[in-house]
Amino acid sequence: MSNSSKSPLTRIQSSKPSSLEIPSIYDYMESKAQEYTIFEPSRSQRIFAKLKPYLCLKSFNIHIIGTNGKGSTGRFIAQSLFESGFRVLHFTSPHLFDFRERFYLNDSIISHQDLESAHIFLQQLDFIGEASYFEYATFLACVLAKKCEFLVMEAGVGGEYDSTSVLDYHVTIFTRIGIDHKDLLGNDLQAIATTKLLAAQGEIFTHFQEDDVLEMLANLTATTRKIGSIHYLTKKDISAQEVRNLSQQYNFPYFLQENLALANLVLCYINQHIAKANLTQSRLNLRGRFEILNHHIMLDVGHNEMAAKAVLQEIKNHIGREKFILVYNSYKGKEVAKILNIFKNSIEKIILFEVAHPRILEKQTMIKIIEKLSIPYSFFSLNQQNLDYLSKNSIQSRISFLESTKKYLVFGSFSLIESFLLWYNSLRTSINETP
């Protein structure tokens, strides 16, 4: 038999490298993170076309696209489907502590063994090395979902050219679309919405949107056969009994209640047309979404004006007019001045929490923005040299800046939330170990 007549699986097995030659998934992804990968819109499609014959995907596929709320909406759906008796994979990004968090299989993050096995499977393919960091993560999800009845895929940036768009989808969900990633998607809402909406497939479910976005979506449905009916979230959906009950039980902020209602709208469709599925009865199993650490510390991942306004409203619901301290840091390319201006009249000061990440905005640039807004600030770092460098406004204690009488909101990039939680957990550990 010639090599060209062998099955795809046979060709893999005959040419696969030894497991000793394959770096671990963590080492491999670290190397991918260091690569400079030029954006190429057709690359993920080209790689997936070669990968598809090796996959065994038979799932009902759900695509989640938007600016805010993708993670919680997807997790509500995944939890609901698992509790209804189905095997489901939820692919989300980014992660806080561990790369495995991006793959939520049934009711927990993927095991190290399963992730490593999927990685070894992909490494047998000679064309896979071309994939970027996020593309490789997407293809891992496709392998991990081989036994799943439902696959929930969360887009990374944009939609039309996002690697998650290589799949065929039965349902597309649009969460709130706003201004973000201007360097990649465009400078205005219309440009940003266009690239997201062009990824639409199947039945469409949409959160509340600006009128321009809704008009664009309606026009799109008239020009493509890939799209079915459009299902719009309404106030009635948010006040549905099952949504209100769960939101009250777990004290969800209103924006999470909206996302829960959007998830329930999709589940009602699945229940009517696909298979019996009911809304989850569990707490949201996803960290960093208006998470209350204790009576005086709340944290939320957010990096745009829409998220800032939503979290500010919720913290006011919790503490009234009392001012709080904002623990903050942000990636480059975000509307930092506009975000901080939203908080300005509600905070005592900003604590600029140092984060070691290449995408984090430079300290001096951040300080110039804060000073221009005339907001009091302090700088916290575990690195004494950095404290000395900014001694005028530095918090000299490297142990803690927290005061039990103050209220704190930790808000900003995923890296900030990760850094804060790692520091906070180590602080609690050291206190508990003190004789």
Side-chain angles (χ1 to χ4, degrees):
M1 178 184 290
S2 68
N3 190 58
S4 60
S5 63
K6 292 180 181 179
S7 70
L9 183 58
T10 302
R11 292 202 300 272
I12 276 188
Q13 291 173 336
S14 64
S15 62
K16 67 180 182 179
S18 164
S19 60
L20 295 176
E21 300 171 1
I22 300 174
S24 73
I25 181 61
Y26 292 102
D27 289 342
Y28 187 76
M29 296 312 291
E30 178 64 25
S31 69
K32 281 289 177 186
Q34 303 303 320
E35 289 180 1
Y36 177 73
T37 306
I38 298 173
F39 174 65
E40 185 184 338
S42 62
R43 183 177 55 232
S44 58
Q45 292 281 357
R46 183 174 65 250
I47 297 172
F48 185 73
K50 296 177 182 179
L51 175 62
K52 193 173 182 180
Y54 303 107
L55 299 177
C56 303
L57 281 177
K58 299 179 180 178
S59 52
F60 184 92
N61 298 335
I62 300 171
H63 203 191
I64 305 182
I65 304 168
T67 304
N68 291 344
K70 297 190 296 292
S72 57
T73 302
R75 190 56 50 88
F76 280 134
I77 292 173
Q79 290 180 202
S80 299
L81 291 170
F82 174 73
E83 290 173 24
S84 298
F86 299 105
R87 296 184 297 273
V88 57
L89 180 79
H90 177 205
F91 173 66
T92 187
S93 64
H95 59 272
L96 280 175
F97 305 114
D98 191 318
F99 182 71
R100 293 185 299 121
E101 296 170 26
R102 295 172 181 247
F103 312 94
Y104 187 82
L105 181 62
N106 295 329
D107 64 342
S108 59
I109 63 172
I110 198 75
S111 70
H112 182 273
Q113 181 179 355
D114 286 345
L115 181 59
E116 196 68 36
S117 294
H119 169 58
I120 291 172
F121 177 85
L122 286 180
Q123 286 297 301
Q124 298 172 86
L125 304 167
D126 57 7
F127 55 82
I128 205 68
E130 188 183 359
S132 68
Y133 183 103
F134 188 78
E135 289 165 352
Y136 193 81
T138 300
F139 301 143
L140 282 170
C142 293
V143 176
L144 291 167
K146 62 184 177 181
K147 294 182 180 179
C148 291
E149 293 145 306
F150 288 89
L151 174 58
V152 183
M153 297 289 283
E154 176 187 322
V157 176
E160 180 184 12
Y161 300 119
D162 191 83
S163 59
T164 57
S165 295
V166 298
L167 292 170
D168 294 324
Y169 289 97
H170 303 87
V171 162
T172 301
I173 303 170
F174 289 108
T175 63
R176 293 289 298 272
I177 296 175
I179 303 293
D180 200 11
H181 297 293
K182 292 169 68 174
D183 55 328
L184 297 173
L185 304 180
N187 290 322
D188 55 40
L189 183 60
Q190 185 174 9
I192 292 170
T194 296
T195 186
K196 293 180 184 290
L197 296 178
L198 285 173
Q201 297 181 54
E203 294 293 304
I204 307 301
F205 295 81
T206 182
H207 204 300
F208 303 122
Q209 309 288 356
E210 297 292 334
D211 290 342
D212 288 349
V213 176
L214 292 176
E215 183 178 351
M216 292 167 64
L217 181 58
N219 291 337
L220 188 64
T221 61
T223 59
T224 178
R225 296 180 180 179
K226 297 188 301 180
I227 299 177
S229 300
I230 305 179
H231 308 259
Y232 298 92
L233 183 68
T234 67
K235 295 291 185 182
K236 183 178 179 181
D237 298 318
I238 299 170
S239 61
Q241 189 68 45
E242 62 270 33
V243 173
R244 284 194 295 111
N245 287 348
L246 195 69
S247 298
Q248 291 171 2
Q249 180 180 355
Y250 295 113
N251 197 27
F252 288 155
Y254 190 72
F255 63 85
L256 277 187
Q257 184 173 339
E258 289 181 333
N259 297 343
L260 178 66
L262 181 60
N264 192 45
L265 196 61
V266 177
L267 291 163
C268 288
Y269 170 83
I270 292 173
N271 192 38
Q272 293 172 14
H273 300 281
I274 310 301
K276 185 172 178 57
N278 298 309
L279 187 65
T280 179
Q281 294 303 302
S282 305
R283 182 186 300 277
L284 177 66
N285 190 3
L286 189 66
R287 298 211 64 179
R289 275 63 174 184
F290 202 74
E291 182 176 343
I292 299 176
L293 284 184
N294 55 40
H295 69 282
H296 71 127
I297 304 175
M298 287 162 276
L299 55 88
D300 188 62
V301 173
H303 41 74
N304 53 49
E305 295 170 76
M306 187 186 299
K309 290 176 182 177
V311 76
L312 179 60
Q313 183 58 53
E314 289 305 323
I315 198 168
K316 284 181 176 179
N317 291 341
H318 277 72
I319 66 174
R321 295 184 177 182
E322 181 183 354
K323 289 195 172 185
F324 59 93
I325 294 171
L326 178 65
V327 181
Y328 184 73
N329 214 324
S330 173
Y331 292 138
K332 302 170 186 175
K334 305 301 180 183
E335 301 282 2
V336 172
K338 292 180 180 179
I339 291 168
L340 295 182
N341 195 50
I342 290 168
F343 290 112
K344 179 177 179 179
N345 295 325
S346 301
I347 59 177
E348 287 185 33
K349 68 174 182 177
I350 293 171
I351 293 179
L352 186 56
F353 193 100
E354 185 179 48
V355 176
H357 193 282
R359 289 178 56 200
I360 284 291
L361 188 64
E362 295 83 359
K363 288 189 287 290
Q364 290 302 326
T365 302
M366 179 73 78
I367 288 170
K368 285 179 181 178
I369 294 171
I370 295 172
E371 290 181 343
K372 188 173 183 179
L373 290 169
S374 300
I375 302 175
Y377 70 93
S378 298
F379 180 78
F380 181 78
S381 173
L382 296 175
N383 186 319
Q384 186 61 48
Q385 287 184 332
N386 288 340
L387 287 174
D388 294 339
Y389 176 64
L390 291 167
S391 58
K392 178 182 176 183
N393 294 89
S394 65
I395 297 171
Q396 294 302 320
S397 170
R398 285 181 289 168
I399 300 174
S400 179
F401 56 80
L402 300 173
E403 301 176 45
S404 60
T405 59
K406 303 288 186 180
K407 297 291 192 296
Y408 296 85
L409 171 64
V410 186
F411 177 83
S413 67
F414 272 88
S415 295
L416 167 68
I417 303 302
E418 175 192 20
S419 298
F420 179 86
L421 285 173
L422 288 171
W423 167 77
Y424 180 76
N425 291 336
S426 66
L427 176 66
R428 292 181 64 190
T429 301
S430 63
I431 290 174
N432 291 336
E433 291 177 351
T434 302

